[in-house]
Structure formats: C-alpha cells, structure tokens
C-alpha cells in the first residue's frame, strides 16, 4: 500500500464558485488513486487491534473489576457492561499487568483466597494500595469472557527468573508439580493457553534503567528459562525501544535477535511533544493543537520504518515481529482527577489518531504483528470510560469497532495522491486510505480525513475488482473536540454513510471534514 504525498496544489482545475475578484485560490480537495485489488499485501494480523490493561488508576479496579458483591452487574466480579462492550470490538489480545507496574508485580500475591492476599503500594501510579484482588485467575477469566488471548508481561526489573519460571508453570503446565497443584487448589484444574510473554517492560526506564547490551543479556537469561509446557508454545517478546531509539533496537537485535519472537516498540502522541510541563488538554484545544497532534502521531510511521530497516538487516526473513505494545495519545489528566491515574477524555481528534495509526500498522503488516493501544479503560486513549455504574464508549472505540472488518484480512495495495492539510508552516496528508479483502472475498476500504474544515473529493479506480454496490458508515462530528460524556453518551457515534458511489470502475467518496469512513464493496 504505497501512498504518494504531494505538496498542497492550489486551485488549478478545481471548479468552484469563487467570485472573480477574490484573489485567494481555493485549496485542492481532490484525492485520486487506484485500489489495486489484484495486488495483495500481507495479512493484517488481528492482533494489530490489541489492547493493554494495567494496574493503573481505574483501568482494572472500577473499569473491569468491581467484585462479586458489587451492585454493578458482574460475572465473578468482572463488570458485564465492560465485557459486552469489549466483545463488540473483538479484542484479539490483552496485555497485562503492565506497563511499569509489571516490573514491580509479584504474581503469587494475586492468587488464592482474596481476603488472604497481601497488599502492596503501587509506587508508579498514585502510590495507592493495591490489594491484589485482581490476579492471574481473574485476568484469565476476563480474557475468556471477552474472547481475547492473554499477553503476560513478567517482572524482570524487580523479580527473579525463578518467579517467572514458576508463573509460566502455574499457568500452562499440565504435569503434576508443586505449581500445578497450587493452581488446582486455587480452583483451576486445566492449564490455560498463554502464547504471548513480554519479558519486562521499558527496561530502559521504569523497568530497571538498564543499558541495551545489559538488558539484551538479561533477556537471554530469562528466555532460557521461559519453558514450553505440554502443547503450549510461548511467543517471547523482548523489551524494545521507545520512539526512534535505534541504538536500542540495533543492540537488541544484534545480541538477542535469534532468541526472540517479537521486539516491542512504545510511542505516545503528546500534543506538545514534552514530558515535562503541560502535554496539552484532551478537550480544550484549538486547531493548532489538533494539527500538531496529528503531525506527531504520524511520526510513528518514520519510527517503524527505521526499526524495521534495522530488523531487516539482522532478520531478513522477518521472523521477529515488531510489537507496538504501547501507543496512543497522552494528555494532561482531566482537571480534578488524580495525576497518577492518567484519566483523560477522548474526542474526535482521538478517533482520527486511531484511524491514522491503524492504517500505518496495516502498511507495515509484514513486520508489525501486534499493537496494543494504551489503555483499554479509564486510562490514556481508552475505549471505555466509567463512572461508578455508568459506562460510555469513546470515539476511539467506534474506530476500533468499524475497523474490525480488517482483522486478519489481506491488505490490498492503494496508490493515491492527496492534498496536504497545512497549518502554520507544517503540512500533513489530508487523506489516509487503506483497503483489505476478508476471507469471504469482501473488500473494505477505510478512509480518514485529517482536515477539520474541508471535505475531500476522493476518486479511486478499482483495479482487479468488479464491485456492484458500496455501503458504509461514517464517524464525524461538528466540533474537533466532540466527545461522549456520561450525560451525552451518544454524541459521537457512527452513522450510515451515503457519500460513496460506484460508476464503472471508480469509487467516488465525498469524505467529510474530520471523519473516519469504512466502506464495503461487493
Ligand atoms: O501506559 C502507561 C505507562 O506508559 C506504562 O506503564 C509504561 O510502560 C509507559 O511508560
């Protein structure tokens, strides 16, 4: 899926009713190109639509776990409304227990009778008391209820190899052993299937402040003892770089590339680009902040390219996946909320961020095998926000729901030319387009318009595809900061889309300003 990006071309050829004396030419709104349905790319792994749940703020407690005695309807302590919502977006894989929390988590504290579980202080996230009432059994139950594969991050920073070994044995072995007897005593007869194992988290930072060569050796040691029991096969993910730290990815691939299945990448979108001072408000922003947020989020494309080029050198057969296991927007917390809880609202801007990132992951599906947006509930760019018994889904949730059609579909090449959306002295592409063919042969096209002011006139020739009908849905809103609240939970939601048509071999779309559209061609 190759995109060609050109500089803003001014009025030439655009027919607009502009008064003769008005000097400023109208910006070009035309997006033209070809969907090459006869040129299949890699399969878009459904795990690109993965999620992340950390013991942070109100993600696990309140968002997921309310306990069996809660008046909020629940199944074995897990809230039913959360499960129902997550089933709608077909969460393929769920990462847990962190994050920074993973490197201070001791799994044995989270098993057995809840009233006997020891408490700890969650030093990273608000210094609150963690009572360990949500542990391994509860997490596995959640995964089973929502139909997701578990992705377990083990404690490297403050844990031990033995601790990791015993956890893997506890979860996946069906032999008669001390760990399996303990599991059975805690009510789980059969082992669980655990494929994804993260060996530490951000070990260049909160996971131990290690240097890359040191961590690479630590990784090799942990990996040696990460055993496959019975039929269970682990997919081992090493801690990778943040942003564009190519020294980290190069060193890891050099020293441990042959011992890993995946290398992680973390990249967060901060409107101001600064970790100190204000990161920017989630809801009170102007067009400058809208534009700069999208400009910054698009940088992940460049970072994936850089790390992929390094991985290609060490691993030309692309055996090792690039696992973007933390991504999304990171704003100032909602006023009045605990700064350590990372609770932020979610607007139409986040929906555009989601669409752009997911398209970038599609474009790199040959290397990017999984991505986990941070985080699933009540933290950062969440799918769901809760307030006691109330629950709303966010604009980002809707993009994930609309894009489920791309899960495990075969990507199709799209060549297109887009005008820029320019603000100040920076320009980004106005349009982003992606296409795939699902197992039933149906082609889906998703489109994003980053420009909050102008609709785009999209014209895409269909090569190798005879489509007779087009239908679809659109997510858009009048305001850039439109959002769902507990008072107005349906303010932003997908609607049927009537702006697409087919004529001979061409798909024409009037793509509304600040929108995400998904079309089905049959
Ligand atoms: O997602 C919040 C935090 O961001 C995670 O705990 C950490 O891995 C990252 O720095």
């Amino acid at each position: 899926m190759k995109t060609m990006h050109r500089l803003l071309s001014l009025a030439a050829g655009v027919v607009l009713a502009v008064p003769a004396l008005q000097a400023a030419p109208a910006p070009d709104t035309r997006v033209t190109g070809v969907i090459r349905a006869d040129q299949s790319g890699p399969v878009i792994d459904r795990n690109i639509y993965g999620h992340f749940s950390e013991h942070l703020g109100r993600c696990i407690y309140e968002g997921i776990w309310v306990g069996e005695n809660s008046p909020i309807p629940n199944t074995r302590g897990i809230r039913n409304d959360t499960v129902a919502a997550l089933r709608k977006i077909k969460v393929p894989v769920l990462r847990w227990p962190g994050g920074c929390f993973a490197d201070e988590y001791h799994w044995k504290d989270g098993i057995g009778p809840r009233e006997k579980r020891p408490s700890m202080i969650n030093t990273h996230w608000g210094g609150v008391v963690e009572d360990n009432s949500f542990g391994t059994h509860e997490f596995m139950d959640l995964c089973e209820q929502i139909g997701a594969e578990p992705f377990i991050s083990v404690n490297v920073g403050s844990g031990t190899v033995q601790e990791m070994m015993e956890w893997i044995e506890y979860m996946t072995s069906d032999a008669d052993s001390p760990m399996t007897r303990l599991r059975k005593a805690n009510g789980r007869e059969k082992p669980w299937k655990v494929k994804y194992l993260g060996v530490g988290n951000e070990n260049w930072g909160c996971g131990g402040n290690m240097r890359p060569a040191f961590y690479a050796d630590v990784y090799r040691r942990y990996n040696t003892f990460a055993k496959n029991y019975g039929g269970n096969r682990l997919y081992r993910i090493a801690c990778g770089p943040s942003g564009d730290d190519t020294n980290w990815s190069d060193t890891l691939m050099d020293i441990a590339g042959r011992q890993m299945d995946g290398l992680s990448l973390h990249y967060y979108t901060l409107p101001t680009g600064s970790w100190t001072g204000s990161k920017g408000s989630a809801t009170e922003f102007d067009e400058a902040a809208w534009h700069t947020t999208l400009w910054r989020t698009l940088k992940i494309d460049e970072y994936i390219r850089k790390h992929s080029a390094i991985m290609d050198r060490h691993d030309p057969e692309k055996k090792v996946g690039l696992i973007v296991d933390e991504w999304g927007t990171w704003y100032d917390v909602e006023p009045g909320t605990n700064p350590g809880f990372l609770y932020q609202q979610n607007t139409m801007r986040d929906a555009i961020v989601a669409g752009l990132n997911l398209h970038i992951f599609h474009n790199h599906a040959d290397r990017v095998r999984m991505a986990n947006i941070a985080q699933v509930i009540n933290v950062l760019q969440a799918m769901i926000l809760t307030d006691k018994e109330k629950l709303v889904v966010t604009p980002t949730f809707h993009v994930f729901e609309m894009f489920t059609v791309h899960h495990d579909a075969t990507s199709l090449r799209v060549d297109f030319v887009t005008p820029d959306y320019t603000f100040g002295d920076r320009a980004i592409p106005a349009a982003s387009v992606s296409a795939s063919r699902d197992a039933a042969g149906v082609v889906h096209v998703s489109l994003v318009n980053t420009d909050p002011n102008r609709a785009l006139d999209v014209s895409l020739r269909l090569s190798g595809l005879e489509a007779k009908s087009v239908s679809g849905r659109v997510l858009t809103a009048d305001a850039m900061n439109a959002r769902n609240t507990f008072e107005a939970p349906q303010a932003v939601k997908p609607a049927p889309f009537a702006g697409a048509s087919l004529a001979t071999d061409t798909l024409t779309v009037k793509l509304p300003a600040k929108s995400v559209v998904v079309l089905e061609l049959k």
Side-chain angles (χ1 to χ4, degrees):
M1 290 165 291
K2 194 170 136 236
T3 63
M4 290 172 287
H5 174 211
R6 71 176 178 189
L7 292 173
L8 183 70
S9 91
L10 299 179
V14 180
V15 182
L16 280 179
V18 179
L21 289 177
Q22 203 168 316
D28 192 353
T29 59
R30 292 165 306 172
V31 178
T32 55
V34 188
I35 297 175
R36 300 194 186 277
D38 43 5
Q39 292 191 30
S40 299
V43 167
I44 299 166
D45 197 314
R46 66 180 189 280
N47 287 338
I48 280 173
Y49 290 84
H51 292 269
F52 172 33
S53 55
E54 180 167 11
H55 288 240
L56 194 179
R58 297 186 301 112
C59 180
I60 299 290
Y61 300 110
E62 291 189 35
I64 293 168
W65 179 257
V66 287
E68 284 114 337
N69 300 326
S70 169
I72 298 173
N74 67 83
T75 301
R76 294 179 295 280
I78 295 170
R79 28 189 321 166
N80 293 344
D81 51 359
T82 289
V83 169
L86 294 181
R87 289 185 73 85
K88 283 193 190 137
I89 55 172
K90 301 185 179 164
V91 174
V93 60
L94 186 62
R95 181 172 181 248
W96 174 82
C100 295
F101 181 78
D103 280 292
E104 58 182 34
Y105 181 63
H106 299 284
W107 70 271
K108 282 185 186 162
D109 294 347
I111 56 171
R114 280 191 208 101
E115 63 284 2
K116 291 198 179 146
R117 296 184 192 177
S119 293
M120 65 182 281
I121 304 295
N122 190 335
T123 65
H124 281 291
W125 306 119
V128 295
V129 174
E130 160 68 57
D131 71 359
N132 280 302
S133 48
F134 189 90
T136 303
H137 291 251
E138 291 78 13
F139 174 67
M140 293 299 187
D141 190 11
L142 169 69
C143 288
E144 286 173 356
Q145 289 192 38
I146 64 175
E149 284 214 56
F151 171 177
I152 302 284
S153 287
V154 300
N155 182 344
V156 169
S158 69
T160 64
V161 171
Q162 182 183 0
E163 200 178 353
M164 176 200 70
M165 274 188 88
E166 290 181 340
W167 200 5
I168 297 170
E169 185 186 325
Y170 184 91
M171 292 186 287
T172 65
S173 173
D174 56 4
D176 183 27
S177 73
M179 285 304 116
T180 58
R181 270 177 250 137
L182 184 57
R183 184 190 71 224
K184 289 173 191 174
N186 288 331
R188 175 76 185 196
E189 188 63 26
K190 288 212 164 69
W192 293 283
K193 179 176 166 276
V194 176
K195 181 171 177 186
Y196 299 104
L197 189 84
V199 181
N201 169 76
E202 297 195 350
N203 301 93
W204 37 260
C206 65
N209 280 304
M210 302 177 198
R211 289 176 290 179
F214 180 82
Y215 169 75
D217 278 337
V218 168
Y219 171 82
R220 287 169 63 122
R221 178 163 170 251
Y222 272 75
N223 180 59
T224 307
F225 300 99
K227 304 287 185 192
N228 289 322
Y229 291 98
N232 194 67
R233 289 287 167 273
L234 295 169
Y235 181 99
R236 296 109 192 253
I237 301 166
C239 164
S242 171
D244 65 350
D245 184 356
T246 49
N247 178 43
W248 185 279
S249 49
D250 197 20
T251 309
L252 259 288
M253 288 303 292
D254 187 33
I255 298 176
R258 276 179 298 282
Q259 281 85 18
M260 66 177 78
D261 300 298
L263 181 70
S264 72
L265 168 65
H266 289 183
Y267 176 62
Y268 284 102
T269 302
L270 283 60
T272 61
S274 170
W275 287 102
T276 53
S278 172
K279 300 176 184 71
S281 164
T283 53
E284 304 310 312
F285 57 87
D286 56 13
E287 190 178 344
W290 167 280
H291 192 278
T292 196
T293 303
L294 302 187
W295 179 78
R296 287 187 198 287
T297 215
L298 288 168
K299 286 201 163 290
I300 199 169
D301 186 49
E302 176 195 327
Y303 300 158
I304 292 174
R305 275 176 210 283
K306 283 185 179 170
H307 296 301
S308 295
I310 288 167
M311 293 172 84
D312 285 349
R313 261 198 293 114
H314 294 278
D315 170 36
E317 291 171 358
K318 297 188 193 292
K319 288 186 186 151
V320 180
L322 187 58
I323 309 296
V324 190
D325 59 12
E326 287 188 32
W327 68 273
T329 53
W330 192 319
Y331 307 123
D332 295 340
V333 298
E334 279 300 291
T337 65
N338 186 329
F341 282 14
L342 309 186
Y343 176 73
Q344 64 189 40
Q345 249 293 0
N346 193 294
T347 69
M348 207 43 229
R349 176 173 61 169
D350 295 87
I352 301 289
V353 165
L356 293 176
N357 278 270
L358 293 167
H359 280 181
I360 290 168
F361 301 150
H362 291 183
N363 291 345
H364 294 287
D366 61 333
R367 187 60 91 172
V368 176
R369 313 270 163 74
M370 187 196 292
N372 308 74
I373 188 170
Q375 297 192 6
V376 69
I377 304 173
N378 290 333
V379 171
L380 299 176
Q381 191 176 351
M383 305 296 116
I384 294 173
L385 304 176
T386 64
D387 179 14
K388 301 185 188 71
E389 77 289 352
K390 294 187 200 144
L391 176 149
V392 289
V393 298
T394 63
T396 301
F397 171 97
H398 288 306
V399 174
F400 271 74
E401 186 276 318
M402 291 164 76
F403 278 38
T404 52
V405 293
H406 289 307
H407 290 202
D408 287 337
T410 301
S411 59
L412 301 175
R413 179 173 166 156
V414 184
D415 295 330
F416 65 99
V417 179
T418 170
D420 284 337
Y421 159 43
T422 304
F423 192 90
D425 55 3
R426 276 189 191 146
I428 61 172
S432 170
V433 186
S434 189
S436 69
R437 181 186 275 112
D438 69 14
V442 179
V443 169
H444 293 98
V445 184
S446 44
L447 307 101
V448 179
N449 183 354
T450 62
D451 191 323
N453 305 311
R454 263 173 296 276
L456 293 170
D457 299 294
V458 183
S459 173
L460 296 168
R461 192 166 63 77
L462 304 177
S463 168
L465 174 67
E466 282 183 27
K468 294 190 176 54
S469 70
V470 57
S471 58
R473 288 186 296 159
V474 60
L475 188 73
T476 189
D478 291 340
M480 292 183 291
N481 65 351
R483 55 193 177 271
N484 294 332
T485 62
F486 299 106
E487 295 70 42
Q490 308 265 350
V492 184
K493 63 176 183 186
F497 183 60
S501 59
L502 283 168
T504 56
D505 64 350
T506 300
L507 169 68
T508 304
V509 185
K510 186 81 177 172
L511 190 62
K514 51 174 149 20
S515 70
V516 179
V517 164
V518 177
L519 301 173
E520 179 169 296
L521 303 181
K522 281 206 217 156

